[in-house]
């Protein structure tokens, strides 16, 4: 099963403990992490994704599919991450951005182009392959960023406040879009947010770091 297990994760900075957490996230389950700024929410996601800055200390195991991925490089963990900003490559077309995220298991130009076209159709941007990312709206950029992550065929999904810069209407639509696809693909998902609406929409457990003893 695509279960994500955080086994006694402890993260510190300059000799001070930031957080301590153990949690199991089942396939298709969305667990929300909430807490004040500086409580270590995004730092936790960085550790899980293999992107933790060397200034921090961290211990504990990250288990995915029952395998310990704690010591693997980020790209070898097969954990997708969505950030606050879409982080699309400005020198690539929309199609190029999506092709960059494609799993290496997809071979051949024709097969890869087909995957990109299918991904654009799934996010209601059919025919946008040659568009410059700069011409997209904020909501369109967010959808392309999600599609790029999903094309990498992740085994788990991390959401680092990816809806925070969208207006209220787009925020609701994008939340539904992301959560539906996470559940459909059976991805254990960890959401970090300040927004109570995000947490309610996720519909899963809520872990509040400010209420946890270190």
């Amino acid at each position: 099963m695509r279960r994500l297990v955080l086994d006694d994760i402890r993260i510190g900075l300059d000799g001070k403990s930031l957080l301590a957490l153990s949690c199991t996230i089942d396939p298709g389950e969305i667990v929300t992490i909430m807490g004040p700024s500086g409580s270590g929410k995004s730092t936790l996601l960085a550790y899980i994704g293999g992107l933790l800055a060397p200034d921090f200390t961290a211990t504990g195991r990250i288990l995915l599919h029952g395998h310990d991925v704690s010591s693997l490089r980020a790209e070898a963990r097969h954990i997708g991450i969505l950030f606050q900003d879409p982080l699309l490559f400005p020198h690539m077309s929309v199609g190029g951005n999506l092709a960059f995220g494609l799993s290496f298991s997809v071979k051949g130009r024709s097969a890869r182009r087909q995957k990109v076209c299918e991904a654009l159709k799934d996010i209601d941007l059919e025919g946008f392959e040659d568009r410059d990312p700069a011409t997209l709206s904020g909501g369109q950029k967010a959808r392309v960023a999600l599609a790029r992550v999903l094309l990498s065929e992740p085994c788990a999904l991390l959401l680092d406040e990816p809806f925070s810069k969208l207006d209220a209407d787009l925020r609701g639509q994008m939340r539904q879009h992301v959560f539906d696809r996470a559940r459909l693909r059976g991805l254990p998902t960890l959401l970090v947010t300040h927004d109570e609406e995000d947490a309610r929409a996720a519909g899963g457990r809520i872990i509040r770091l400010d209420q946890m003893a270190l």
Side-chain angles (χ1 to χ4, degrees):
M1 293 180 70
R2 287 184 175 181
R3 181 178 287 123
L4 177 63
V5 178
L6 308 180
D7 180 23
D8 194 24
I9 304 298
R10 296 178 180 272
I11 299 177
L13 178 65
D14 296 329
K16 178 184 176 183
S17 293
L18 288 180
L19 65 85
L21 177 68
S22 290
C23 178
T24 296
I25 308 174
D26 289 326
E29 182 183 11
I30 302 168
V31 171
T32 301
I33 300 282
M34 302 192 76
S37 296
S39 60
K41 301 184 303 299
S42 293
T43 305
L44 172 64
L45 297 193
Y47 178 56
I48 297 169
L51 303 171
L52 188 66
D55 300 346
F56 293 89
T57 59
T59 59
R61 297 189 305 161
I62 303 157
L63 304 173
L64 191 55
H65 282 320
H67 300 292
D68 189 345
V69 300
S70 311
S71 61
L72 298 181
R73 294 171 299 165
E75 61 271 22
R77 297 188 183 196
H78 301 292
I79 296 176
I81 307 180
L82 273 182
F83 298 98
Q84 288 185 17
D85 295 306
L87 301 179
L88 300 181
F89 299 117
H91 62 287
M92 292 183 179
S93 65
V94 168
N97 269 275
L98 293 184
F100 183 86
L102 268 171
S103 167
F104 290 116
S105 65
V106 183
K107 306 292 185 183
R109 179 177 296 181
S110 177
R112 293 174 71 83
R113 183 170 180 82
Q114 182 178 348
K115 283 285 188 182
V116 167
C117 291
E118 289 171 354
L120 285 170
K121 186 175 182 179
D122 181 57
I123 58 174
D124 298 321
L125 293 177
E126 192 171 5
F128 275 55
E129 291 89 342
D130 297 325
R131 285 280 293 270
D132 184 334
T135 68
L136 303 182
S137 68
Q140 289 171 333
K141 289 177 182 177
R143 280 183 279 161
V144 172
L146 171 64
R148 184 174 62 184
V149 168
L150 294 179
L151 281 172
S152 69
E153 299 180 3
C155 296
L157 186 60
L158 306 178
L159 306 174
D160 192 358
E161 303 203 52
F163 319 120
S164 63
K165 295 191 175 180
L166 301 175
D167 63 41
D169 289 341
L170 280 176
R171 191 180 185 115
Q173 293 172 19
M174 192 62 192
R175 267 196 306 244
Q176 195 64 46
H177 194 83
V178 172
F179 296 158
D180 284 350
R181 277 147 188 79
R183 293 187 182 106
L184 181 65
R185 293 171 180 245
L187 298 176
T189 301
L190 189 59
L191 166 69
V192 154
T193 184
H194 285 95
D195 193 301
E196 294 284 351
E197 279 296 319
D198 287 350
R200 282 192 288 271
R205 285 177 288 151
I206 300 174
I207 298 172
R208 299 183 186 273
L209 295 181
D210 55 339
Q211 297 176 3
M212 297 178 64
L214 295 179

